[in-house]
Amino acid sequence: MIEYAGGLISLAYAAALGLLVLCSIDRNRTLSLLEMSALSYGIGLGLFAWEMLILQMAGVSFTLPNLLVPVTSFCVVFYLAFGRAKAVKNVAMKSKAPPPRPWSPKSSVKSITEISFFCAIGLELTHVFFRAMMKPMEAYDAVAIWALKAKAIYLSQSLPISFFQNKDYRISHPDYPLLIPLVESYVYTFSGHFNDFVSKLIFPFFFMACLVVFYSALRRIRLSRLESLVFTFFLASIPHFAVHATNGYVDVVVAFYFSSGFLYLYLWILHDNFVFLLISAALTALAGLTKNEGVVLCFVNLVILGSALFHRRNGYTNKIAWRCLISYVVILCAVLIPWFSFRTSLVLYNDVINRRTILAAWKWENLKRIKPILYQYQAQFFGPKNWNIVWVLFFGTIIMKPKRLITGDIKYILLTLTLIFCAYSTVYLIMPFDLEWHLRTSVSRLFLHFLPIIVFFLARSYVEEGKTNSIPVS
Amino acid sequence: MRMTKLILLTWLIVWVFFLVRPFLLNKSSLVEYVELAKGDFETRRTIAYGTDFYQFLKFCKDRLPGDSRFQLVGVEREAVDRVRASYYLYPRLHSEKPDYILVYKTPRFIQKNTTLFASLDQESFILRYEEDQRR
């Protein structure tokens, strides 16, 4: 257990820094403590990965003081400058709030069901943590792509250029974004030794953070506590989602960053709170820093932002609309540029999607691929072993309420899902390698990236129209 | 409301079914869970990588110099064991121009210009390229 303590402290430290940043941004305390803690975990770890890329550009090695001092100083100064004064004021205001309502038998009866679902989520979480902690990094991509790089970074205390350019290690895809290898190496550096059982803790915590953010978003669209718990349980109990939080693959991490990024963008569309937009931009950008697909997902959220601004052009002045768009783009660029500049400096290119494959892809015969792609999609949709009945419910909802889906705010969810399906399907249409193999090995994992949005879509469809006014998270 | 309850019930049934099914189909998986829970890090890695292969990897790690380059024989090209070996043995590098050949469960393997460097047993051993043939 002592071995795990170092890892846990390193993650808690990153989360604490993330919390400082969030407190500085969210000066009116729009976010609840629960969602703030979940978001701070993702943002804190993202901060460390981003800082390491900057340190690499500056030629500074990744020793523990070099890792901790700059980012800690930045977060503390940022908090002192922007966050603290307002926070003290808010605490003072909260102390004057009326006491909570007294206990009533009715709410107690209700709470038995709530407790049951809470326990079921707890059971899934325990199972996920247990499975993650029981085994070292051992799954194929977890080892070949992510953990190997993390070990190389940790041992060389920098991004080892010779390793990234070593042709014998092409299998580790040196062009893939480095958030997870950097975070794993941070955990090793903080703990003082290499232990991949400990770094595996990163993933179940992302799973947990994803559930917390998801639950909070449901509360914000006016679902009751019980309803929110039920839908959160739906998400937690999808076998494929839970399994991928235990094996060292990064798809659950992408799911957290992208889905949370989308959910806060959606909440911004509903509530017009600028803090949501800033959080959405940061989380979406970190999805791009986690996996190449994340960059596509950044564009998807940008398109959604653009279309929301366009639809509301009467409600905004040009100045506000541009401020929103520019803020979003600036945050995306600020987070992603250090990685792309490093990648460009090494002349690394993607082996699946690059200029050559794109130019070679525009052939009519590639359309024949639609059949195997659709076949593989339907194999997933009707596979309860991996997905329970989530896809059946999703398509059932679309078929049963087609008109409602193109009106109101729900259209943004559907547009997002459509764009992702189109983008991922296009990649399968043009990729130069064995399509069948790629479909077999990757489709189910790509679906994970937006799975929380699928469940959110179900929840949103369940909510009665007109219920989505601004409400605080309880 | 009835529809909602039906959906919820179906979801719960499918959830419980696929949660319990692996243990019913393969009772040894429950035993493995217990072993994993009881075991230390070494035991858990042994279970995850397989006893023989992990023993071989530990043997190679002990014997190979930290900056050496190796090639692995006896493990299929696409097998997960190959990437586990690269990972576990790093910073020793897998290379097309190796200093050492790690032979796993291939008793009659012969390679020109090599000598036996160390052996775990009759089937698994390390060959070293002669000085002038390296890289």
Side-chain angles (χ1 to χ4, degrees):
Chain A
M1 285 311 283
I2 294 167
E3 293 271 341
Y4 285 114
L8 285 172
I9 294 168
S10 69
L11 298 179
Y13 190 85
L17 295 185
L19 192 66
L20 283 181
V21 172
L22 279 173
C23 287
S24 312
I25 296 170
D26 181 26
R27 297 172 72 191
N28 293 323
R29 298 294 177 265
T30 315
L31 303 172
S32 71
L33 188 65
L34 185 70
E35 67 184 322
M36 217 181 228
S37 53
L39 290 171
S40 62
Y41 175 73
I43 287 182
L45 289 180
L47 256 178
F48 269 103
W50 186 78
E51 182 209 31
M52 288 160 96
L53 289 167
I54 300 288
L55 290 179
Q56 176 73 20
M57 286 166 84
V60 179
S61 64
F62 302 163
T63 58
L64 191 58
N66 287 348
L67 288 183
L68 296 187
V69 173
V71 75
T72 309
S73 317
F74 167 77
C75 291
V76 170
V77 169
F78 195 59
Y79 176 70
L80 291 176
F82 300 107
R84 205 169 64 111
K86 196 84 177 188
V88 171
K89 202 174 156 187
N90 270 303
V91 169
M93 279 171 70
K94 274 187 183 172
S95 65
K96 289 176 193 166
R101 274 189 294 176
W103 175 87
S104 74
K106 199 181 170 191
S107 69
S108 156
V109 172
K110 237 182 185 178
S111 76
I112 291 169
T113 326
E114 285 173 7
I115 289 169
S116 307
F117 278 102
F118 187 78
C119 289
I121 295 167
L123 179 73
E124 270 297 340
L125 266 175
T126 312
H127 195 204
V128 163
F129 270 94
F130 176 81
R131 281 196 294 184
M133 288 163 73
M134 286 306 109
K135 287 190 177 179
M137 297 288 183
E138 42 111 23
Y140 198 99
D141 281 6
V143 170
I145 299 176
W146 313 109
L148 179 59
K149 282 181 199 154
K151 191 176 183 183
I153 293 167
Y154 166 68
L155 292 176
S156 70
Q157 295 195 323
S158 66
L159 296 178
I161 289 166
S162 59
F163 174 79
F164 284 100
Q165 292 181 326
N166 188 335
K167 285 179 182 166
D168 293 321
Y169 281 82
R170 280 265 170 84
I171 195 168
S172 72
H173 295 281
D175 64 293
Y176 281 19
L178 288 172
L179 185 135
I180 283 300
L182 288 168
V183 166
E184 286 177 11
S185 71
Y186 154 72
V187 171
Y188 300 142
T189 308
F190 199 103
S191 314
H193 60 276
F194 175 83
N195 184 338
D196 56 358
F197 284 92
V198 177
S199 65
K200 266 189 100 187
L201 276 174
I202 293 165
F203 302 96
F205 275 115
F206 267 112
F207 178 75
M208 192 160 87
C210 201
L211 298 183
V212 171
V213 169
F214 182 77
Y215 172 82
S216 305
L218 294 181
R219 297 290 283 140
R220 283 189 187 282
I221 60 162
R222 304 211 97 188
L223 262 76
S224 70
R225 189 157 51 191
L226 176 62
E227 290 162 346
S228 304
L229 281 170
V230 170
F231 280 104
T232 308
F233 164 73
F234 277 7
L235 179 61
S237 63
I238 292 172
H240 206 52
F241 194 53
V243 164
H244 276 264
T246 68
N247 59 8
Y249 278 56
V250 300
D251 299 283
V252 164
V253 183
V254 177
F256 167 78
Y257 281 127
F258 169 66
S259 298
S260 308
F262 170 76
L263 291 178
Y264 280 96
L265 182 61
Y266 180 76
L267 291 174
W268 171 79
I269 292 169
L270 291 185
H271 304 324
D272 237 349
N273 188 329
F274 194 60
V275 171
F276 291 153
L277 194 71
L278 294 180
I279 293 171
S280 166
L283 293 169
T284 307
L286 290 170
L289 210 58
T290 308
K291 217 176 170 196
N292 279 331
E293 289 87 339
V295 180
V296 177
L297 300 173
C298 287
F299 282 109
V300 169
N301 273 0
L302 258 182
V303 170
I304 299 300
L305 172 64
S307 62
L309 289 172
F310 181 76
H311 271 101
R312 294 206 179 160
R313 61 192 181 279
N314 296 331
Y316 292 125
T317 61
N318 272 346
K319 199 178 163 188
I320 295 174
W322 279 112
R323 184 182 158 219
C324 293
L325 197 61
I326 289 171
S327 306
Y328 211 89
V329 173
V330 165
I331 293 173
L332 288 185
C333 292
V335 174
L336 291 173
I337 281 175
W339 157 242
F340 280 104
S341 106
F342 174 73
R343 196 175 110 158
T344 312
S345 73
L346 295 188
V347 203
L348 298 174
Y349 65 90
N350 192 283
D351 54 347
V352 179
I353 300 298
N354 53 57
R355 193 191 297 174
R356 194 166 48 86
T357 56
I358 289 171
L359 288 176
W362 305 111
K363 298 178 223 160
W364 286 109
E365 60 198 66
N366 273 7
L367 291 177
K368 285 180 192 164
R369 291 176 166 202
I370 290 174
K371 197 177 161 189
I373 291 170
L374 290 179
Y375 174 81
Q376 194 60 41
Y377 281 4
Q378 68 78 28
Q380 294 297 326
F381 298 152
F382 300 107
K385 188 182 169 190
N386 276 351
W387 305 102
N388 205 314
I389 53 169
V390 70
W391 292 108
V392 177
L393 294 179
F394 174 67
F395 288 110
T397 308
I398 291 179
I399 292 164
M400 283 167 71
K401 298 174 180 174
K403 275 188 183 170
R404 266 185 58 184
L405 302 178
I406 50 168
T407 55
D409 54 75
I410 204 165
K411 66 175 174 282
Y412 294 110
I413 308 177
L414 208 60
L415 178 62
T416 305
L417 295 171
T418 310
L419 286 173
I420 300 170
F421 264 110
C422 291
Y424 284 177
S425 304
T426 307
V427 172
Y428 285 123
L429 276 178
I430 65 173
M431 64 168 38
F433 302 128
D434 181 5
L435 176 71
E436 299 276 349
W437 180 83
H438 257 96
L439 282 167
R440 242 188 357 260
T441 55
S442 66
V443 161
S444 65
R445 283 189 287 125
L446 296 188
F447 283 1
L448 290 175
H449 299 169
F450 54 92
L451 183 67
I453 302 176
I454 296 281
V455 185
F456 186 78
F457 170 82
L458 297 178
R460 178 61 193 83
S461 308
Y462 173 81
V463 180
E464 290 161 16
E465 207 74 53
K467 224 179 161 186
T468 50
N469 296 323
S470 174
I471 58 152
V473 172
S474 58
Chain B
M1 201 62 193
R2 251 173 95 181
M3 186 68 168
T4 311
K5 279 184 181 168
L6 185 70
I7 288 170
L8 192 57
L9 189 68
T10 313
W11 190 289
L12 286 169
I13 291 169
V14 175
W15 175 58
V16 172
F17 178 74
F18 285 109
L19 201 66
V20 176
R21 189 168 167 253
F23 300 110
L24 295 178
L25 284 180
N26 183 8
K27 279 173 187 150
S28 64
S29 63
L30 201 64
V31 178
E32 190 185 289
Y33 260 42
V34 176
E35 273 180 40
L36 284 167
K38 278 188 192 167
D40 56 6
F41 289 133
E42 278 292 295
T43 314
R44 291 180 199 170
R45 199 180 294 276
T46 306
I47 293 170
Y49 284 17
T51 311
D52 291 350
F53 191 64
Y54 183 51
Q55 201 185 1
F56 175 68
L57 287 183
K58 276 205 302 184
F59 162 74
C60 294
K61 192 175 185 178
D62 290 343
R63 301 302 172 94
L64 292 176
D67 61 346
S68 56
R69 289 166 186 268
F70 67 86
Q71 213 166 44
L72 190 59
V73 171
V75 178
E76 281 177 35
R77 197 172 171 80
E78 300 294 328
V80 69
D81 280 345
R82 185 169 285 273
V83 293
R84 284 174 184 168
S86 294
Y87 170 62
Y88 186 78
L89 296 175
Y90 189 89
R92 298 151 195 88
L93 292 171
H94 178 266
S95 173
E96 291 298 314
K97 294 172 183 171
D99 308 317
Y100 299 88
I101 298 181
L102 316 182
V103 184
Y104 178 64
K105 292 201 170 177
T106 314
R108 293 199 182 96
F109 181 81
I110 299 167
Q111 176 72 33
K112 272 185 189 174
N113 304 319
T114 59
T115 52
L116 184 67
F117 175 67
S119 87
L120 177 66
D121 52 42
Q122 294 286 325
E123 298 177 318
S124 305
F125 44 87
I126 302 172
L127 299 176
R128 180 167 64 176
Y129 273 95
E130 285 162 15
E131 203 65 37
D132 55 332
Q133 300 293 327
R134 286 193 205 176
R135 292 184 196 177

